[in-house]
Amino acid sequence: MIGFLVAGLIIGALARLIKPGKQNLGILATLALGLVGSLIGGLIAQLFGTGDIWELNILGFVLAVIAAVLLIGVAEGLAGKRSTRA
C-alpha cells in the first residue's frame, strides 16, 4: 500500500514536470491524480497483456504518466471554469 502511494506521488510529480505551464495543484491533488493515473495505466497495460495491474512494469509506468498528464489537463480545465464563474 505504501509503495502504491509512493508510486502515485512519483507519477503525479513526473506528470506535472512534463505538462507545460504552471499548475495550481497541491501535493494532495498531485498524489490523487498520480494514483488515478497509475490505475488507468495499469489497467491499459494489463489489457495489452504485460502483467497484472498491481505489478510495476515499464509499459504500465509510461501509460500511467501519460494518463496523469491528461488528468492534470482535465483538472486545470475544471479549475479554470470554476474561477471564471466567480
Side-chain angles (χ1 to χ4, degrees):
M1 184 69 172
I2 293 173
F4 185 62
L5 292 173
V6 170
L9 190 57
I10 291 170
I11 289 168
L14 282 174
R16 286 187 65 181
L17 287 172
I18 292 170
K19 179 93 172 73
K22 179 172 174 14
Q23 299 91 26
N24 293 324
L25 300 173
I27 193 163
L28 290 178
T30 301
L31 174 63
L33 292 173
L35 289 173
V36 174
S38 67
L39 285 173
I40 293 170
L43 280 171
I44 295 172
Q46 184 176 6
L47 292 174
F48 285 133
T50 62
D52 190 42
I53 183 174
W54 304 110
E55 226 174 72
L56 182 62
N57 59 50
I58 298 298
L59 180 62
F61 186 80
V62 170
L63 290 171
V65 172
I66 292 170
V69 168
L70 295 173
L71 288 171
I72 287 172
V74 170
E76 284 181 319
L78 292 175
K81 285 182 182 178
R82 281 191 215 133
S83 66
T84 57
R85 287 184 193 170

